[in-house]
Amino acid sequence: AVQRATVRIAPVDAAGRPVAGVEVLVRGPGGWIESVDLDEPRAAELSLPVGQTVTFRVLGSSVRAATGSLLVAPGEQRVQVPMQPGFSAELSTLSLRNFAGIAGLELIADERSCGFTDATGELLIDLPARPLRLSIDQAQWRVIDGDTFDSDIAPDGTFEFGDHLGRLFLYALRVE
Protein backbone atom coordinates (compact mmCIF):
# COMPACT_ATOMS: atom_id res chain seq x y z
CA ALA A 1 0.00 0.00 0.00
CA VAL A 2 1.15 3.50 -0.77
CA GLN A 3 1.83 5.59 2.31
CA ARG A 4 -0.09 8.87 2.27
CA ALA A 5 0.35 12.11 4.17
CA THR A 6 -1.87 15.10 4.84
CA VAL A 7 -0.89 18.29 3.01
CA ARG A 8 -2.69 21.55 3.77
CA ILE A 9 -2.33 24.26 1.13
CA ALA A 10 -3.50 27.60 2.54
CA PRO A 11 -4.02 30.52 0.13
CA VAL A 12 -3.63 33.77 2.15
CA ASP A 13 -3.91 37.50 1.48
CA ALA A 14 -1.21 40.10 2.23
CA ALA A 15 -2.27 40.18 5.90
CA GLY A 16 -1.96 36.37 6.19
CA ARG A 17 -5.72 35.77 6.32
CA PRO A 18 -7.16 32.76 4.45
CA VAL A 19 -8.63 33.54 1.02
CA ALA A 20 -11.97 32.17 -0.23
CA GLY A 21 -13.31 31.72 -3.76
CA VAL A 22 -10.33 29.88 -5.19
CA GLU A 23 -9.50 26.42 -6.51
CA VAL A 24 -6.36 24.52 -5.56
CA LEU A 25 -5.16 22.14 -8.32
CA VAL A 26 -2.48 19.58 -7.49
CA ARG A 27 -0.65 17.55 -10.16
CA GLY A 28 1.62 14.63 -9.54
CA PRO A 29 3.85 12.41 -11.65
CA GLY A 30 1.93 10.83 -14.48
CA GLY A 31 -0.41 13.80 -14.71
CA TRP A 32 -2.97 12.85 -12.05
CA ILE A 33 -4.90 15.83 -10.73
CA GLU A 34 -6.64 16.53 -7.47
CA SER A 35 -8.59 19.72 -6.91
CA VAL A 36 -10.23 21.37 -3.94
CA ASP A 37 -12.71 24.24 -4.23
CA LEU A 38 -12.39 26.71 -1.39
CA ASP A 39 -15.72 28.53 -1.14
CA GLU A 40 -14.80 29.50 2.42
CA PRO A 41 -11.55 30.94 3.79
CA ARG A 42 -9.68 27.78 4.80
CA ALA A 43 -6.82 25.52 3.73
CA ALA A 44 -7.23 22.82 1.11
CA GLU A 45 -6.62 19.48 2.83
CA LEU A 46 -5.27 16.71 0.60
CA SER A 47 -4.10 13.16 1.19
CA LEU A 48 -1.10 12.69 -1.11
CA PRO A 49 1.41 9.85 -1.69
CA VAL A 50 4.59 10.16 0.40
CA GLY A 51 7.79 10.58 -1.62
CA GLN A 52 6.08 12.19 -4.63
CA THR A 53 6.95 15.67 -5.82
CA VAL A 54 3.74 17.50 -6.65
CA THR A 55 3.05 20.89 -8.21
CA PHE A 56 0.13 23.05 -7.18
CA ARG A 57 -1.68 26.02 -8.65
CA VAL A 58 -4.17 28.33 -6.92
CA LEU A 59 -6.62 30.17 -9.21
CA GLY A 60 -9.77 32.29 -8.92
CA SER A 61 -11.80 35.15 -10.33
CA SER A 62 -10.38 37.69 -7.85
CA VAL A 63 -6.73 36.53 -7.52
CA ARG A 64 -3.59 36.22 -9.64
CA ALA A 65 -2.34 32.67 -10.25
CA ALA A 66 0.07 31.26 -7.66
CA THR A 67 2.12 28.11 -8.20
CA GLY A 68 4.56 26.00 -6.27
CA SER A 69 5.83 22.49 -5.71
CA LEU A 70 6.68 20.29 -2.78
CA LEU A 71 8.01 16.86 -1.91
CA VAL A 72 5.36 15.04 0.13
CA ALA A 73 6.91 13.94 3.43
CA PRO A 74 5.47 11.62 6.09
CA GLY A 75 3.22 13.31 8.64
CA GLU A 76 1.49 16.64 8.07
CA GLN A 77 2.69 19.55 5.95
CA ARG A 78 1.26 23.04 5.72
CA VAL A 79 2.08 25.44 2.89
CA GLN A 80 0.98 29.08 2.92
CA VAL A 81 0.49 30.51 -0.56
CA PRO A 82 0.51 34.33 -0.76
CA MET A 83 -2.19 35.56 -3.14
CA GLN A 84 -2.38 38.87 -5.02
CA PRO A 85 -5.56 40.56 -6.32
CA GLY A 86 -6.32 39.92 -9.99
CA PHE A 87 -7.97 37.30 -12.21
CA SER A 88 -6.75 33.82 -13.04
CA ALA A 89 -8.11 30.67 -14.59
CA GLU A 90 -7.04 27.51 -16.32
CA LEU A 91 -8.95 27.55 -19.61
CA SER A 92 -9.70 24.20 -21.28
CA THR A 93 -11.10 24.15 -24.80
CA LEU A 94 -12.93 21.44 -26.69
CA SER A 95 -13.77 21.14 -30.36
CA LEU A 96 -17.32 19.87 -30.72
CA ARG A 97 -16.35 18.30 -34.06
CA ASN A 98 -13.77 15.78 -32.74
CA PHE A 99 -13.95 16.31 -28.94
CA ALA A 100 -10.24 17.18 -28.73
CA GLY A 101 -8.58 20.23 -27.19
CA ILE A 102 -8.18 23.19 -29.54
CA ALA A 103 -4.47 24.01 -29.93
CA GLY A 104 -3.34 27.49 -30.98
CA LEU A 105 -6.59 29.27 -30.09
CA GLU A 106 -5.96 32.90 -29.14
CA LEU A 107 -7.91 34.29 -26.20
CA ILE A 108 -8.50 38.04 -26.15
CA ALA A 109 -9.30 39.87 -22.89
CA ASP A 110 -10.60 43.41 -23.29
CA GLU A 111 -9.01 43.61 -26.75
CA ARG A 112 -5.58 42.38 -25.56
CA SER A 113 -4.15 38.93 -26.21
CA CYS A 114 -3.94 36.59 -23.20
CA GLY A 115 -1.99 34.06 -25.27
CA PHE A 116 -2.67 30.88 -27.19
CA THR A 117 -3.85 27.46 -26.04
CA ASP A 118 -1.16 24.77 -25.92
CA ALA A 119 -1.12 21.41 -27.74
CA THR A 120 -3.71 20.03 -25.30
CA GLY A 121 -6.04 23.01 -25.74
CA GLU A 122 -5.26 24.62 -22.38
CA LEU A 123 -4.16 28.12 -21.41
CA LEU A 124 -3.29 29.67 -18.05
CA ILE A 125 -4.92 33.09 -17.79
CA ASP A 126 -3.23 35.38 -15.25
CA LEU A 127 -4.24 39.06 -15.32
CA PRO A 128 -3.84 41.99 -12.90
CA ALA A 129 -7.59 42.73 -13.07
CA ARG A 130 -10.77 40.90 -14.06
CA PRO A 131 -11.50 41.45 -17.77
CA LEU A 132 -14.89 42.81 -18.81
CA ARG A 133 -15.10 40.73 -22.00
CA LEU A 134 -13.31 37.72 -23.45
CA SER A 135 -13.31 36.58 -27.06
CA ILE A 136 -11.59 34.22 -29.47
CA ASP A 137 -10.63 34.54 -33.15
CA GLN A 138 -14.03 34.38 -34.82
CA ALA A 139 -12.49 33.88 -38.29
CA GLN A 140 -11.66 30.25 -37.43
CA TRP A 141 -13.79 29.27 -34.43
CA ARG A 142 -17.29 29.95 -33.16
CA VAL A 143 -17.89 29.70 -29.41
CA ILE A 144 -20.87 27.43 -28.74
CA ASP A 145 -20.97 27.14 -24.98
CA GLY A 146 -19.02 27.23 -21.74
CA ASP A 147 -19.81 26.01 -18.28
CA THR A 148 -19.15 29.16 -16.27
CA PHE A 149 -20.52 31.86 -18.54
CA ASP A 150 -22.18 34.85 -16.91
CA SER A 151 -24.03 35.85 -20.07
CA ASP A 152 -25.02 34.55 -23.45
CA ILE A 153 -22.45 34.65 -26.21
CA ALA A 154 -22.85 37.92 -28.12
CA PRO A 155 -23.21 37.94 -31.94
CA ASP A 156 -19.62 39.25 -32.21
CA GLY A 157 -18.39 36.18 -30.28
CA THR A 158 -17.55 37.93 -27.03
CA PHE A 159 -18.59 36.42 -23.73
CA GLU A 160 -18.26 36.97 -20.00
CA PHE A 161 -17.31 34.50 -17.32
CA GLY A 162 -19.10 34.56 -13.99
CA ASP A 163 -17.38 34.02 -10.67
CA HIS A 164 -15.36 30.85 -10.91
CA LEU A 165 -13.01 28.97 -8.68
CA GLY A 166 -10.25 28.16 -11.13
CA ARG A 167 -11.06 26.09 -14.20
CA LEU A 168 -13.06 27.36 -17.15
CA PHE A 169 -14.32 25.31 -20.07
CA LEU A 170 -15.08 26.63 -23.55
CA TYR A 171 -16.65 24.64 -26.38
CA ALA A 172 -16.33 25.73 -30.02
CA LEU A 173 -16.88 24.68 -33.62
CA ARG A 174 -14.45 25.41 -36.47
CA VAL A 175 -15.90 27.83 -39.01
CA GLU A 176 -16.12 26.07 -42.38
Side-chain angles (χ1 to χ4, degrees):
V2 174
Q3 184 183 4
R4 300 184 79 77
T6 299
V7 176
R8 289 184 177 83
I9 299 175
V12 296
D13 64 15
R17 294 180 302 248
V19 173
V22 297
E23 182 174 13
V24 177
L25 303 168
V26 179
R27 285 187 169 90
W32 54 266
I33 298 176
E34 289 196 36
S35 70
V36 177
D37 294 341
L38 297 178
D39 296 325
E40 316 174 340
R42 63 180 177 87
E45 187 172 311
L46 300 130
S47 175
L48 300 173
V50 170
Q52 300 279 338
T53 297
V54 297
T55 59
F56 59 86
R57 184 177 283 167
V58 182
L59 305 165
S61 61
S62 62
V63 295
R64 299 288 307 252
T67 59
S69 65
L70 64 95
L71 174 62
V72 180
E76 286 191 18
Q77 289 174 271
R78 183 174 174 86
V79 179
Q80 279 202 336
V81 183
M83 303 303 297
Q84 301 296 320
F87 176 89
S88 58
E90 188 173 271
L91 176 70
S92 295
T93 60
L94 184 70
S95 166
L96 294 177
R97 178 98 45 233
N98 63 5
F99 302 103
I102 304 169
L105 183 68
E106 183 177 23
L107 184 70
I108 310 292
D110 295 336
E111 301 182 18
R112 290 193 193 100
S113 178
C114 285
F116 295 84
T117 54
D118 63 16
T120 65
E122 294 187 347
L123 171 67
L124 173 64
I125 305 166
D126 186 24
L127 302 170
R130 182 186 180 121
L132 298 174
R133 302 291 281 173
L134 295 168
S135 65
I136 62 169
D137 178 4
Q138 293 296 297
Q140 294 185 23
W141 292 93
R142 185 165 45 97
V143 176
I144 303 299
D145 198 3
D147 69 344
T148 51
F149 287 164
D150 206 19
S151 66
D152 290 334
I153 299 158
D156 67 356
T158 60
F159 49 91
E160 299 173 14
F161 283 111
D163 288 334
H164 68 280
L165 296 178
R167 285 189 280 187
L168 304 173
F169 298 92
L170 184 145
Y171 310 102
L173 277 173
R174 183 178 286 283
V175 174
E176 308 219 13

